[in-house]
Amino acid sequence: MAGDLPEYYFRVRENGANVFRVDSENRQRRIEMDQIAVVNVKNGEIKAQGDHKLTPEELSEIKRWMEARTALLARRDIDDIHRAVDYLNITTQWIQSKATDEQLDQVTDDLLLAMHDLRTVLVRKKADRLLKSQEG
């Protein structure tokens, strides 16, 4: 089992992770995790933990993880939007085929405001992109 463990463990937290060095080659044959850093993927900050001085190898591994994590979060963001489109379609079908008057009374105003807000932002962003493409 010890050979299968990674050298570093990243405990994900909001905006980043706590970074641990994994040690299973000790006398008690227990897994020990020593925290070596805290990272923030939003601003790229890497802070060594306590008196620990990060080695070039540790920094390289942390930066590699940060790049992979940023890419994963970007993929999740777009996937969430695709799901939102599906959910809007499912909501439309529910409203058309199953919703009662009481249910519609509960959701109509909120849905109309949210859709109006979304449409306004989408139209503005599309116009900005069209203007930018015509200028460039």
Side-chain angles (χ1 to χ4, degrees):
M1 179 179 160
D4 297 333
L5 293 175
E7 191 171 352
Y8 301 98
Y9 171 70
F10 294 82
R11 182 194 301 150
V12 175
R13 55 186 245 171
E14 192 169 329
N15 295 332
N18 294 327
V19 184
F20 297 86
R21 178 178 281 284
V22 178
D23 178 18
S24 60
E25 302 296 325
N26 53 60
R27 292 158 68 124
Q28 294 85 15
R29 301 190 127 189
R30 293 183 181 156
I31 298 171
E32 293 181 7
M33 297 189 327
D34 298 318
Q35 187 172 356
I36 61 171
V38 175
V39 298
N40 184 319
V41 294
K42 297 286 184 190
N43 64 17
E45 190 172 68
I46 301 170
K47 290 184 182 177
Q49 182 69 22
D51 295 334
H52 185 81
K53 303 284 187 230
L54 294 170
T55 67
E57 175 188 286
E58 291 168 340
L59 278 172
S60 176
E61 186 65 23
I62 290 169
K63 288 177 182 176
R64 185 203 60 73
W65 180 87
M66 290 174 75
E67 289 173 9
R69 181 71 180 169
T70 300
L72 173 65
L73 293 174
R75 286 191 308 272
R76 285 182 181 169
D77 279 348
I78 197 69
D79 189 48
D80 287 346
I81 301 306
H82 288 294
R83 285 183 211 179
V85 171
D86 287 349
Y87 202 71
L88 282 170
N89 286 315
I90 290 167
T91 302
T92 302
Q93 185 60 35
W94 172 80
I95 288 169
Q96 186 174 26
S97 63
K98 296 179 183 177
T100 66
D101 289 344
E102 294 80 24
Q103 290 170 323
L104 289 173
D105 286 342
Q106 292 176 25
V107 299
T108 296
D109 290 343
D110 289 340
L111 280 169
L112 287 171
L113 289 170
M115 291 185 319
H116 174 74
D117 186 31
L118 176 60
R119 183 183 185 283
T120 300
V121 172
L122 285 171
V123 168
R124 184 177 64 241
K125 290 289 197 172
K126 185 161 190 155
D128 290 348
R129 288 192 316 275
L130 288 172
L131 286 173
K132 194 181 215 179
S133 69
Q134 289 173 357
E135 292 171 358

